[in-house]
């Protein structure tokens, strides 16, 4: 079967739309997990109602936005490879597929975490979840660089860029954790 020439551009359009929806879902999902674990800081009588609400929001976000986004992104990517199989002979595509496998593993891990949160068995802290939430950002940057630069991937500059990004993310998480601790201490002193 020969595909019409514009099929490739349709696959690419829908691939990019799928990727945007998938990432929007992944970013917001782990943010909800953070709010979910931090319900432990609320007054006793508020904890369960908030947990129930976050569980519902997580389930809907994962099943109605995140997973459908992933299915569109991956199925359109398969369409792109069928329309142009020569991509599969290029090194940058092998690297991209490796990072996408990592992203799929992250997607599965989010579902496992969601189950643990709903069962009340999640042992991760808000700070650990904030660090986890940075992982898809790194994968996004690397995959977009691969697909844009392709065989001209600037390995040296890209490595420095990724290292700077990781340092910036780690520092932001540490500063935010410290700010939260100081704010909690100040509130305990003033009783507000
Ligand atoms: C299932 C795995 C994937 C495969 C097999 C795949 C394959 C492809 C192919 C063949 C193209 C067309 C390249 C071109 O025409 O220049 C493309 C474009 C693109 N992909 Fe993917 N992709 C996958 C997953 C992803 C993911 C997870 C992201 C985002 C993190 C992503 C981001 C993009 C972007 C932004 C473009 C447009 C690049 C451009 O037109 O310059 N892809 N992809």
């Amino acid at each position: 079967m020969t595909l019409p020439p514009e099929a490739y551009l349709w696959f690419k359009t829908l691939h990019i739309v799928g990727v945007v929806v998938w990432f929007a879902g992944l970013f917001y999902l782990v943010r909800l997990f953070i709010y979910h674990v931090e319900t432990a800081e609320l007054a006793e009588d508020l904890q369960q109602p908030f947990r129930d609400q976050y569980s519902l929001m997580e389930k809907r976000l994962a099943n109605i936005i995140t997973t459908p986004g992933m299915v569109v992104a991956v199925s359109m990517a398969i369409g792109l490879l069928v329309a142009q199989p020569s991509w599969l002979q290029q090194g940058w595509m092998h690297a991209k597929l490796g990072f996408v496998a990592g992203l799929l593993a992250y997607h599965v891990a989010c579902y496992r975490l969601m189950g643990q949160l709903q069962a009340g068995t999640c042992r991760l802290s808000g700070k650990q979840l904030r660090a986890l939430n940075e992982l898809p950002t790194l994968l996004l940057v690397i995959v977009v660089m691969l697909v844009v630069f392709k065989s001209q991937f600037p390995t040296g500059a890209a490595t420095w860029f990724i290292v700077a990004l990781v340092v910036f993310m780690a520092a932001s998480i540490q500063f935010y954790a410290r700010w939260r601790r100081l704010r909690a201490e100040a509130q305990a002193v003033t009783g507000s």
Side-chain angles (χ1 to χ4, degrees):
M1 185 189 72
T2 37
L3 292 167
E6 67 275 17
Y8 187 85
L9 297 177
W10 278 109
F11 287 140
K12 186 143 91 172
T13 302
L14 295 174
H15 176 58
I16 295 171
V17 171
V19 163
V20 170
V21 173
W22 186 12
F23 272 86
L26 285 176
F27 286 141
Y28 191 38
L29 190 58
V30 180
R31 182 113 291 274
L32 285 177
F33 293 170
I34 295 167
Y35 298 143
H36 196 144
V37 297
E38 288 177 354
T39 54
E41 296 165 18
L42 296 174
E44 197 80 39
D45 57 330
L46 292 177
Q47 291 184 6
Q48 200 51 48
F50 271 87
R51 282 179 189 148
D52 293 343
Q53 183 60 28
Y54 285 131
S55 293
L56 183 72
M57 290 167 76
E58 287 154 9
K59 234 188 306 185
R60 289 193 178 158
L61 177 66
N63 295 335
I64 302 174
I65 307 284
T66 319
T67 297
M70 181 270 283
V71 170
V72 172
V74 172
S75 49
M76 293 303 116
I78 293 169
L80 284 165
L81 294 180
V82 170
Q84 199 157 316
S86 60
W87 288 132
L88 278 172
Q89 266 125 50
Q90 304 198 3
W92 68 270
M93 177 55 80
H94 302 161
K96 178 174 174 175
L97 289 176
F99 287 109
V100 174
L103 191 65
L104 287 167
Y106 180 84
H107 186 109
V108 172
C110 283
Y111 265 84
R112 280 193 58 184
L113 268 176
M114 189 165 72
Q116 288 174 3
L117 280 162
Q118 278 158 24
T121 57
C122 177
R123 294 283 157 261
L124 294 183
S125 65
K127 190 176 168 188
Q128 287 168 325
L129 285 168
R130 279 189 181 84
L132 190 72
N133 206 14
E134 302 302 345
L135 200 65
T137 310
L138 285 178
L139 291 171
L140 176 65
V141 171
I142 295 169
V143 169
V144 171
M145 281 172 81
L146 279 166
V147 88
V148 170
F149 284 100
K150 297 192 171 67
S151 309
Q152 285 146 35
F153 191 79
T155 312
T159 306
W160 281 113
F161 182 57
I162 297 296
V163 169
L165 200 58
V166 171
V167 170
F168 174 75
M169 287 167 168
S172 307
I173 291 168
Q174 291 299 340
F175 278 126
Y176 184 66
R178 195 175 140 78
W179 177 79
R180 273 175 65 91
R181 203 176 54 244
L182 291 175
R183 190 186 57 170
E185 282 167 13
Q187 279 170 350
V189 170
T190 60
S192 62

